């Protein structure tokens, strides 16, 4: 079975393998079987065959529309425009970005498992443990964000899922549009809206928790829970002539305080702890 489906609980299978299942719902063998049955009916019961053909056509159309809605349920569109970043020394700059779509939540352990089992991603250096079916996250953590992922594996996962890592400017544009907000919800820090150091949780939470901390686009955990890799290595976010350094992460994690979970903050390091990801993909035509 594709992507190690036999080893996954049903709930995770529904979450992770939706695209695979939809692609096979009307596969060539299935359609060939339906066509053969309709041909036999056409000679014996033409009226029933016509009605059946119309029913199949309607089912294909509805399934296609429903499948697209299913596959798009975890993505939101972000309009093109300016992203406001801060460089070294406190200077700010506006960086233009094109429209795109971004995942509503951070990538979960369950979603990342599919990439690991495909052989395209390495297991994260975090809470995952060796088990009978290979390295996997502990029970109860399927919907928690994956972390301990290298920058290279974050890029591999996004490619595996049909997208890519956002640039730093794209991440900031998604987080606060063209505004200068300090946090996804506004300018005033609120420990009730972020899984950071001040919340006292001391661990990751489900990617769907802290709904009151979403931004205007409905994105979860742009502040706190886990840091998020972006596709940038610039030493200065506003001045590319300063050269490249280690990869950059944004958003802060559950062990970061209000300064590091600010939308102005950026972390840079070769192996930043408590770092996960979310992906982007091209805007819908």
């Amino acid at each position: 079975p594709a992507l190690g489906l036999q080893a996954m609980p049903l709930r995770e299978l529904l979450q992770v393998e939706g695209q695979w299942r939809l692609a096979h719902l009307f596969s060539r063998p299935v359609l060939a079987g339906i066509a053969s049955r309709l041909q036999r009916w056409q000679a014996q019961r033409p009226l029933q065959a016509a009605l059946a053909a119309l029913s199949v056509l309607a089912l294909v159309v509805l399934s296609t529309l429903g499948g697209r809605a299913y596959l798009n349920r975890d993505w939101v569109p972000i309009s093109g425009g300016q992203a406001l970043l801060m460089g070294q020394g406190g200077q700010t700059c506006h960086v233009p970005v094109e429209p795109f779509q971004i995942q509503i939540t951070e990538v979960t352990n369950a979603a990342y498992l599919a990439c690991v089992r495909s052989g395209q991603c390495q297991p994260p250096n975090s809470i995952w443990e060796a088990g009978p079916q290979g390295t996997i996250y502990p029970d109860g953590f399927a919907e928690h964000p994956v972390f301990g992922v290298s920058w290279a594996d974050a890029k591999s996962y996004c490619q595996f899922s049909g997208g890519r890592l956002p640039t730093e400017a794209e991440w900031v544009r998604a987080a606060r549009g063209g505004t200068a907000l300090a946090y996804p919800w506004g300018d005033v820090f609120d420990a009730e809206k972020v899984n950071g150091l001040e919340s006292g949780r001391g661990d990751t939470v489900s990617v769907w928790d802290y709904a009151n901390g979403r931004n205007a686009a409905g994105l979860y955990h742009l502040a706190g829970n886990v840091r998020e890799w972006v596709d940038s290595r610039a030493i200065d976010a506003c001045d590319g002539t300063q050269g490249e350094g280690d990869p950059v992460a944004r958003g802060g994690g559950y062990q970061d305080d209000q300064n590091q979970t600010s939308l102005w903050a950026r972390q840079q390091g070769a192996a930043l702890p408590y770092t996960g990801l979310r992906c982007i993909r091209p805007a819908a035509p």
Side-chain angles (χ1 to χ4, degrees), residues 39-113:
Q39 286 177 346
R40 291 199 300 270
W41 282 10
Q42 186 175 12
Q44 302 170 0
R45 293 176 286 180
L47 179 59
Q48 290 88 337
L51 292 175
L54 288 174
S55 298
V56 170
L57 178 62
L59 183 59
V60 169
V61 171
L62 291 174
S63 296
T64 300
L65 294 175
R68 287 177 180 170
Y70 177 85
L71 295 176
N72 291 331
R73 75 197 189 286
D74 294 336
W75 299 78
V76 294
I78 302 297
S79 62
Q82 301 291 324
L84 183 61
L85 286 80
M86 181 181 292
Q88 292 180 333
Q91 82 277 14
T92 59
C93 60
H94 289 87
V95 180
V97 298
E98 296 296 320
F100 59 93
Q101 297 180 68
I102 191 168
Q103 290 180 296
I104 294 176
T105 70
E106 298 152 325
V107 173
T108 64
N109 285 306
Y112 190 78
L113 177 63

Side-chain angles (χ1 to χ4, degrees), residues 4-272:
L5 301 186
Q6 77 283 359
M8 301 187 70
L10 177 60
R11 184 180 182 188
E12 294 165 20
L13 213 167
L14 293 174
Q15 293 173 339
V16 178
E17 297 304 331
Q19 186 170 5
W20 183 89
R21 291 181 296 105
L22 287 167
H24 288 72
L25 180 60
F26 288 99
S27 61
R28 184 172 298 178
V30 172
L31 290 176
I34 293 174
S36 176
R37 180 67 59 88
L38 289 177
Q39 286 177 346
R40 291 199 300 270
W41 282 10
Q42 186 175 12
Q44 302 170 0
R45 293 176 286 180
L47 179 59
Q48 290 88 337
L51 292 175
L54 288 174
S55 298
V56 170
L57 178 62
L59 183 59
V60 169
V61 171
L62 291 174
S63 296
T64 300
L65 294 175
R68 287 177 180 170
Y70 177 85
L71 295 176
N72 291 331
R73 75 197 189 286
D74 294 336
W75 299 78
V76 294
I78 302 297
S79 62
Q82 301 291 324
L84 183 61
L85 286 80
M86 181 181 292
Q88 292 180 333
Q91 82 277 14
T92 59
C93 60
H94 289 87
V95 180
V97 298
E98 296 296 320
F100 59 93
Q101 297 180 68
I102 191 168
Q103 290 180 296
I104 294 176
T105 70
E106 298 152 325
V107 173
T108 64
N109 285 306
Y112 190 78
L113 177 63
C115 189
V116 171
R117 289 186 168 165
S118 75
Q120 298 182 50
C121 296
Q122 295 298 313
N125 183 21
S126 60
I127 58 174
W128 287 38
E129 303 168 342
Q133 301 295 336
T135 305
I136 192 172
Y137 50 85
D139 290 342
F141 281 79
E143 292 191 347
H144 285 229
V146 65
F147 67 91
V149 176
S150 72
W151 188 59
D153 276 317
K155 297 178 75 170
S156 294
Y157 173 83
C158 287
Q159 184 177 14
F160 166 81
S161 65
R164 62 176 174 84
L165 274 185
T167 65
E168 192 166 8
E170 288 168 333
W171 191 96
V172 171
R173 176 71 184 179
R176 62 174 174 223
T179 73
L181 291 177
Y183 299 97
W185 56 85
D187 283 320
V188 179
F189 178 77
D190 187 344
E192 297 297 321
K193 295 181 178 180
V194 54
N195 181 29
L197 185 65
E198 292 86 355
S199 73
R201 299 291 289 267
D203 202 350
T204 59
V205 297
S206 167
V207 297
W208 300 104
D209 281 355
Y210 286 88
N212 60 348
R214 290 176 293 174
N215 73 344
L219 305 180
Y220 287 75
H221 296 292
L222 290 164
N225 216 17
V226 297
R227 299 166 176 173
E228 299 176 21
W229 288 119
V230 294
D231 194 4
S232 175
R233 300 181 65 167
I235 293 175
D236 187 319
C238 288
D239 185 359
T241 65
Q242 297 297 316
E244 289 188 343
D246 290 326
V248 173
R250 283 277 186 166
Y254 68 88
Q255 291 196 338
D256 289 320
D257 64 17
Q258 59 183 294
N259 295 318
Q260 292 301 308
T261 54
S262 165
L263 297 180
W264 292 107
R266 69 197 301 256
Q267 296 86 29
Q268 194 158 11
L272 291 173

